Amino acid sequence: MAPRRIVIVGASLAGLRVAEGLRSHGYLGEVVLIGDEDHPPYDRPPLSKQVLSGTWEPSRTYFRTPDELAARGIVHRRRTRATSLDRDVSGGVVRCADGTEERFDHVVVATGARARRVGAWELPGVQTLRTIEDVRSLTEAFARRPRLTVVGGGFIGAEVASAARHRGLDVTLVEALPAPLSRVLGTEVGMACAGLYRRNGVRVLTGVAIEGVQGGPGVESVDLTDGTRIDSDLVVVGIGAVPNTEWADGGGLRLDGGIVCDASGGAGARVWAVGDVARWYHPVFDAHIRVEHWTHATEQAHHVARAIAGQAVGPMTAIPYAWSDQFGVKIQIVGRPSPDATFVLASGTPEQGRFVGLYAAAGRVVGGVGFDQPRAIARVRRMVAGAAEVGAAVQALAG
Amino acid sequence: MNIEADLGKCQGFANCVMAAPEVFDLDDASLVVLARRQVLPDELEDVREAVRSCPVEAIWLTES
C-alpha cells in the first residue's frame, strides 16, 4: 500500500527538496515538514557569501514563501524541534519539544549539522556561522568595524575572511595545519589558498593552534600556542560541523558519524536520511560517506523522493561536488580529494590563480580541484565517476 | 523542450555546467551561456539535473 503520510524532519534544503520532489513525482498523500527555525526554508551557501558581503538581504535566501508551500500541499511546521523518533511495524511517531506528535508511514531525517563549538572559548563576540540569525549578528558586528580573527581555514572561515575584507575589515586567519584547506585539498593547494588570502590583505597564520580566547565580558584577544596574542573584537570559529543525530537515538537506527544509510538513503524500514546528517554508502568509493555539500543534498533528496513515490531507484552514484567563492575566485571540488591521494597538476599553476588539479589513488582519478575552471571540473567529475586512469586524464585535460 | 535563462538571477554558481557541460558554460562575467536553446533528447536528463541544481532557479525548461 502506498504510504499516506510522510514526515520530513528538518526544513532546510534537503528536507524541502524531498517534500517538493514527492509532489513532482505525483505523490498525493500528506507531507509534513518539521523545522526548528522561524523562517521559510532558506538557502545556506549565500549566507557566508552574498549576504555577509552585503550584496543580498537575508530574506533573498528564502526558497519559498509560506503560500507557495501551502499551494504545493506541504505542511510546514516552524519553530518545532523533534526530540524523539519511535518506530513500529507500520511506521512510527516523531515527538516534538512542544509536546505534539507526528505519526508517519515513512519518515525522512534531514536534520542537518550544527557548527562545532569549543566551550572554553565561549565569550560574547565569539561566533559561528550556520543560520540566518548567525549572519545577521555577524553583519551587525561587522558594522562596528571590529578586528576580526577567523579560527579555522576551511571553507566557512575563508568565506568569512573574504566577506570581511570586502568590507575593509582587519582580518587574521588562524589554521592549525600547515595551510588553509589542506585537510581536504593537501598542502600544495592549501599554500595556493594562503597566497590568495594574503594577496587580499588577510594575515594568515598557519601551523599554530589556539591556546585560548581572552576577554571579559567581550572578547579581547585570541592567544596562540606559540605565544602570539591577536588583539580581536570579533572571533568567528569555523572548525567543522557535527551531524544532528542525537534526537533520533531511540529510533533503532545506526548512528556512526551521521545516520548510516544504504546507497539509496534507506536507514531502516520506512526511514530515510538525506543531507548533512546522512552517511550513505557510495558505490564508486566503496565506503559510507557523509557529504556536507549543497548539490549532494539535492541529489539525495531527489533520489529518496522518487523511491518513496514508488519509482524504482538504484544506488545513487552522483559524485560529490562543492564550490566556494573566495576573494573573487570560484574554487570547485569534485569527488574525494584527500591529502593521502597523489596530487597531479593537470593545467595551469596555483601561482597563476587558475588551475586544475587531480587527486589519484592506485592510478585512478578519485577527485579534482579547480580555481576558476568550471568546464574542466565538469569533465573531471565524469572522470571520477568512470575511475579514469590519471595519465590519460591529464592528457585529456591538457588537450 | 527549450531552455530559458534569466541572467538577472544567475550568480555564476556553475552547477549547470557541472551537470550538463555540453549545454551550459559561463562567460567572463561568470554568467550562464547556452550552447543552444533546444535540448536534444539524449541531453534531457542532464539538463533536468542542471535545472534542479541551480540554487537561484535562473534556468528552466519550456515546451517548444
Side-chain angles (χ1 to χ4, degrees), chain B residues 39-62:
Chain B
V39 184
L40 307 177
D42 63 346
E43 295 169 347
L44 187 56
E45 198 37 51
D46 284 351
V47 172
R48 284 193 200 283
E49 178 57 35
V51 168
R52 273 197 299 273
S53 71
C54 178
V56 289
E57 299 177 359
I59 47 175
W60 63 95
L61 283 166
T62 56

Side-chain angles (χ1 to χ4, degrees), chain A residues 375 382, chain B residues 15-25 43 46-47 50:
Chain A
R375 280 182 75 80
R382 292 178 178 193
Chain B
N15 287 11
C16 55
V17 187
M18 300 303 293
E22 56 288 323
V23 175
F24 298 99
D25 197 2
E43 295 169 347
D46 284 351
V47 172

Side-chain angles (χ1 to χ4, degrees), chain A residues 171-380:
Chain A
V171 181
T172 304
L173 184 143
V174 184
E175 166 58 50
L177 292 174
L181 291 173
S182 57
R183 187 180 59 80
V184 177
L185 299 178
T187 304
E188 191 166 350
V189 177
M191 292 294 195
C193 294
L196 173 68
Y197 307 165
R198 287 187 176 118
R199 285 195 298 281
N200 284 277
V202 179
R203 179 183 178 205
V204 181
L205 304 177
T206 58
V208 61
I210 307 298
E211 177 73 33
V213 178
Q214 307 300 327
V219 59
E220 288 167 7
S221 73
V222 174
D223 293 354
L224 308 184
T225 48
D226 66 0
T228 308
R229 165 160 291 192
I230 310 164
D231 293 328
S232 312
D233 310 300
L234 178 68
V235 176
V236 175
V237 179
I239 53 172
V242 184
N244 293 319
T245 58
E246 295 85 350
W247 71 278
D249 197 14
L253 309 178
R254 205 174 133 212
L255 309 181
D256 178 15
I259 294 175
V260 179
C261 297
D262 63 25
S264 293
R270 301 184 186 81
V271 184
W272 311 80
V274 291
D276 289 4
V277 76
R279 211 174 139 211
W280 289 33
Y281 177 76
H282 199 301
V284 174
F285 305 110
D286 188 22
H288 287 87
I289 58 174
R290 193 170 70 80
V291 179
E292 293 178 355
H293 299 338
W294 193 100
T295 313
H296 218 64
T298 64
E299 287 158 344
Q300 290 179 336
H302 179 61
H303 204 86
V304 164
R306 286 170 60 212
I308 297 175
Q311 296 193 7
V313 295
M316 195 187 85
T317 56
I319 300 301
Y321 160 60
W323 76 88
S324 177
D325 298 316
Q326 310 174 6
F327 304 102
V329 175
K330 181 172 294 296
I331 300 178
Q332 294 177 291
I333 299 171
V334 291
R336 293 188 88 198
S338 92
D340 304 326
T342 307
F343 180 74
V344 184
L345 209 51
S347 73
T349 65
E351 292 70 32
Q352 291 170 338
R354 275 167 74 102
F355 71 96
V356 176
L358 302 178
Y359 297 82
R364 302 284 165 179
V365 178
V366 294
V369 60
F371 278 35
D372 279 340
Q373 295 278 13
R375 280 182 75 80
I377 288 298
R379 295 177 69 193
V380 174

Side-chain angles (χ1 to χ4, degrees), chain A residues 2-12 14-20 22-23 27-36 73-78 80-88 90-98 100-111 247-248 253 259 265 267-274 277 301 304-305 308-309:
Chain A
R4 284 171 303 191
R5 192 165 208 271
I6 313 296
V7 172
I8 301 161
V9 187
S12 191
L16 172 70
R17 287 296 183 97
V18 172
E20 295 193 331
L22 284 167
R23 293 300 183 220
Y27 177 74
L28 298 172
E30 288 181 73
V31 177
V32 180
L33 188 59
I34 300 174
D36 61 0
I74 297 165
V75 175
H76 178 209
R77 296 192 53 199
R78 299 191 199 192
T80 306
R81 189 166 56 83
T83 52
S84 75
L85 175 65
D86 290 295
R87 294 159 64 205
D88 54 41
S90 62
V93 174
V94 172
R95 294 195 170 79
C96 304
D98 61 4
T100 57
E101 297 182 349
E102 294 289 351
R103 173 90 212 159
F104 62 80
D105 297 317
H106 283 243
V107 66
V108 181
V109 179
T111 40
W247 71 278
L253 309 178
I259 294 175
R270 301 184 186 81
V271 184
W272 311 80
V274 291
V277 76
V304 164
I308 297 175

